[in-house]
Amino acid sequence: MTKYVFVTGGVVSSLGKGIAAASLAAILESRGLKVTMLKLDPYINVDPGTMSPYQHGEVFVTEDGAETDLDLGHYERFISARMRKSNNFTTGQIYESVIRKERRGEYLGKTVQVIPHITNEIQAFIERGAKAAWDGQTDVAIVEIGGTVGDIESLPFLEAVRQMSLRMGRHGAFFIHLTLVPFIASAGELKTKPTQHSVQKLREIGIIPDALLCRADRPIPHDEKFKISLFSNLPEDAVISVWDADTIYKIPAMLHEQGLDAAVVEKLQLKTTAADLSVWKNLVEALENPQHEVRIGMVGKYVELTESYKSLIEALNHAGMKARSRVKLTYIDAEQLETDGCDVLKSLDAVLVPGGFGKRGTEGKIKAIRFARENKVPYLGICLGMQLAVIEFARHCADLAHASSTEFDIDTPHPVVALITEWADRTGKIEKRTEESDVGGTMRLGSQRCPVLPDTLAAKIYGSAVNERHRHRYEVNNTYVPQLEAAGMVISARTPTENLPEMMELTDHPWFVGVQFHPEFTSTPRYGHPLFSSFIEAALAQRQARNK
């Protein structure tokens, strides 16, 4: 029977529930357990797909095409289980499901209420998500509840898991509460009162935490831990200090050394082996002892909010660890390049243009791409970054001076990037879309396997086929591909059904690659990713050539 660990948060948001939950999952997995993870988001949006990055940060895409919370990216980076649509759900999905059932008459004319109907639906979604992993043989499901205890939006979720724990018995569930212990500079001390109040609020709801994770900017001394223990009615060894670390990959060892996983195993009566965290020790050692350094310029329009590129930043760091290189990222505002020019790019070893939507900043990105192409600087374009690379090449190398995308200019005379009205999804089903279609329902989403052209850089990186995740609406227009190829562009991978370009590269350049998919979603610290590793190696070669 699957056991559950429920992770709640208090005081303020953004304390790192996702990292803490994923780190615990990594420790439990190292003890031989089959672990999966779920994220419950209290907002009414059906999913984060149409939310601004300023509101929500990155949208993480699963293999089965779900647009989910960025914490699912942390989950996949820390454990081996792959996340699916069922691993993340929102208040919007819960109410949508309940209303559909009510309309079908499944509640037999009863008055539909938050309790029991909404809370029962939440429990059903949790159990379904737990069973989706490991062929239904999951040992532990770690369930992270978004928001903060005390928020009205979170109450149905907290009530649902309270009911679940009661039904499963004393050894079926373990509650972890993450809180803030702030350091007040004027007083010169850590303050435990916010944690005391947060635990009190959780107990009022009917949930008694089994462990507290106390976030602070420094290790919490014994006296403060004792005080928290006393006022929270918890043993002192259940008060875990979680201080600021210079890398998230130190958190598994931090939690293990304070006995969090041992407490979980004991309460849930799990049979395990000893924890083996050597992989995390080795990763931290590689991160802290680089032999080289590379400078990568990321040109985007959300550069002031790095949460928008969380998976991409981690993928670059993973490749850096594999190459024993410190990756120094310079975030460059694309709109600034439009006015100030590309001088800021001259000291970089490589240029990257990530995915995105909308016209703002695109001309600045095109300037950066042209700089990388003409100056033989390694370039990686992801999704929109590939589309803009095609537009730049069309304008300056293929005699299509006014080339553009219909996303930016519906009347462009040369739509080298356009909205493809029909395409096959990952199951082979033909989907249709138009300019008037709902934004959330017109994208190619999820993983798709595509053959790779032999004797190309793509083949050197991926082998005979590429299988990556997508999140985009617009495609490179096949009408212009012959003209682009005649000018020297190589389309090195195509979709097997529609023959749509998936990868492009330039043969007269040391390393210039554009990909329509999002490779960052499949990079992990343990294994890295071949595309990012190749990109970092090219950046290293560029740096070494410059220093000769």
Side-chain angles (χ1 to χ4, degrees):
M1 182 181 73
T2 301
K3 305 294 182 75
Y4 290 86
V5 176
F6 298 110
V7 182
T8 58
V11 186
V12 295
S13 60
S14 302
L15 290 179
K17 287 197 303 294
I19 296 295
S23 297
L24 173 61
I27 308 170
L28 295 178
E29 186 172 83
S30 79
R31 298 182 69 140
L33 296 170
K34 295 178 180 177
V35 183
T36 192
M37 304 189 70
L38 289 83
K39 175 68 183 292
L40 283 52
D41 280 307
Y43 51 73
I44 298 176
N45 303 65
V46 172
D47 61 45
T50 58
M51 294 169 69
S52 165
Y54 292 107
Q55 288 280 316
H56 191 266
E58 174 187 79
V59 174
F60 185 79
V61 179
T62 60
E63 283 187 351
D64 59 356
E67 295 175 287
T68 69
D69 185 84
L70 61 82
D71 277 324
L72 270 72
H74 293 312
Y75 301 167
E76 287 206 356
R77 286 187 282 273
F78 274 82
I79 63 173
S80 57
R82 298 299 87 189
M83 299 297 106
R84 306 177 187 179
K85 183 177 181 180
S86 57
N87 290 87
N88 183 208
F89 59 88
T90 68
T91 294
Q93 291 177 29
I94 294 295
Y95 274 82
E96 185 180 55
S97 178
V98 168
I99 290 170
R100 281 201 305 265
K101 288 182 177 181
E102 185 273 331
R103 292 290 82 190
R104 292 196 299 264
E106 293 187 24
Y107 296 118
L108 304 176
K110 294 179 181 178
T111 301
V112 178
Q113 298 175 292
V114 172
I115 301 173
H117 301 99
I118 295 297
T119 51
N120 284 351
E121 195 73 7
I122 291 170
Q123 293 177 61
F125 270 54
I126 292 173
E127 291 175 341
R128 183 187 68 187
K131 290 178 181 177
W134 303 111
D135 296 323
Q137 302 301 310
T138 305
D139 296 315
V140 180
I142 299 180
V143 182
E144 178 192 350
I145 301 172
T148 306
V149 169
D151 295 345
I152 192 170
E153 296 93 345
S154 301
L155 286 174
F157 291 97
L158 295 171
E159 172 61 18
V161 299
R162 184 197 67 79
Q163 293 177 16
M164 276 190 74
S165 68
L166 186 66
R167 175 162 49 85
M168 292 184 294
R170 61 181 299 184
H171 299 298
F174 190 99
F175 283 95
I176 296 173
H177 190 53
L178 182 72
T179 72
L180 177 67
V181 181
F183 179 80
I184 307 301
S186 59
E189 62 181 354
L190 292 163
K191 290 295 184 179
T192 65
K193 191 64 69 177
T195 292
Q196 294 175 39
H197 286 171
S198 184
V199 174
Q200 182 182 16
K201 189 66 179 178
L202 190 64
R203 291 168 68 92
E204 287 175 3
I205 295 168
I207 295 174
I208 300 174
D210 296 292
L212 290 179
L213 302 187
C214 299
R215 287 282 289 112
D217 64 349
R218 64 201 66 198
I220 298 174
H222 169 77
D223 287 349
E224 280 73 16
K225 290 179 72 172
F226 176 76
K227 191 174 182 180
I228 293 169
S229 166
L230 184 66
F231 282 93
S232 301
N233 197 36
L234 281 172
E236 190 175 344
D237 60 5
V239 180
I240 309 294
S241 176
V242 187
W243 57 92
D244 292 349
D246 53 6
T247 171
I248 59 175
Y249 302 120
K250 289 183 177 179
I251 307 301
M254 185 187 296
L255 299 181
H256 172 64
E257 288 166 5
Q258 296 179 75
L260 179 61
D261 56 304
V264 172
V265 167
E266 181 180 1
K267 170 76 183 294
L268 300 183
Q269 296 186 338
L270 297 165
K271 295 180 179 180
T272 74
T273 59
D276 178 8
L277 300 184
S278 57
V279 62
W280 303 103
K281 180 181 178 181
N282 293 338
L283 286 171
V284 170
E285 195 275 333
L287 192 62
E288 292 185 332
N289 298 282
Q291 299 172 1
H292 312 283
E293 180 179 288
V294 290
R295 291 169 293 182
I296 309 295
M298 185 187 296
V299 183
K301 66 177 182 178
Y302 303 117
V303 291
E304 69 273 29
L305 186 67
T306 56
E307 288 289 289
S308 303
Y309 305 113
K310 177 60 74 175
S311 291
L312 185 51
I313 293 168
E314 289 301 314
L316 291 167
N317 287 330
H318 301 161
M321 286 187 280
K322 296 297 178 185
R324 286 285 180 168
S325 300
R326 176 181 288 110
V327 177
K328 295 192 70 175
L329 273 175
T330 300
Y331 302 100
I332 301 167
D333 189 333
E335 290 180 291
Q336 184 179 343
L337 296 183
E338 294 178 2
T339 57
D340 298 346
C342 293
D343 285 349
V344 68
L345 304 178
K346 291 180 179 178
S347 63
L348 300 174
D349 302 314
V351 174
L352 187 155
V353 174
F357 296 92
K359 183 177 181 179
R360 183 167 64 86
T362 54
E363 291 302 321
K365 295 175 184 178
I366 288 173
K367 281 188 174 182
I369 294 166
R370 184 177 186 179
F371 175 89
R373 179 180 59 79
E374 292 181 343
N375 291 279
K376 307 299 183 183
V377 176
Y379 172 77
L380 173 59
I382 295 175
C383 197
L384 179 62
M386 168 177 159
Q387 295 172 5
L388 294 177
V390 171
I391 292 170
E392 189 281 324
F393 187 85
R395 288 180 183 179
H396 303 117
C397 301
D399 297 323
L400 298 169
H402 299 290
S404 190
S405 166
T406 55
E407 181 180 8
F408 319 135
D409 181 6
I410 193 67
D411 298 317
T412 176
H414 301 301
V416 296
V417 177
L419 191 70
I420 306 301
T421 57
E422 292 190 6
W423 85 103
D425 69 10
R426 61 189 302 274
T427 67
K429 177 184 176 183
I430 300 299
E431 300 283 353
K432 297 179 183 293
R433 56 186 167 189
T434 69
E435 296 288 351
E436 289 73 37
S437 299
D438 289 343
V439 172
T442 60
M443 287 193 286
R444 184 145 63 98
L445 290 165
S447 63
Q448 185 173 14
R449 186 177 179 84
C450 303
V452 170
L453 188 68
D455 302 320
T456 59
L457 179 56
K460 183 178 179 181
I461 294 168
Y462 279 105
S464 61
V466 55
N467 188 12
E468 298 280 14
R469 304 177 195 180
H470 299 74
R471 183 178 183 252
H472 65 277
R473 300 180 73 213
Y474 291 80
E475 312 272 1
V476 175
N477 189 343
N478 264 327
T479 302
Y480 291 92
V481 167
Q483 193 169 345
L484 296 170
E485 290 179 322
M489 180 182 292
V490 175
I491 303 300
S492 46
R494 298 173 182 266
T495 62
T497 305
E498 313 87 350
N499 208 36
L500 296 171
E502 282 283 283
M503 297 184 70
M504 58 80 68
E505 57 190 72
L506 302 180
T507 55
D508 62 347
H509 193 284
W511 206 99
F512 192 105
V513 175
V515 298
Q516 186 60 79
F517 43 80
H518 287 270
E520 67 270 25
F521 292 146
T522 54
S523 179
T524 69
R526 283 174 284 190
Y527 305 112
H529 190 285
L531 180 62
F532 289 102
S533 291
S534 181
F535 180 54
I536 294 300
E537 288 169 5
L540 274 172
Q542 175 80 3
R543 186 174 183 84
Q544 291 165 358
R546 181 187 290 119
N547 292 338
K548 282 184 178 179

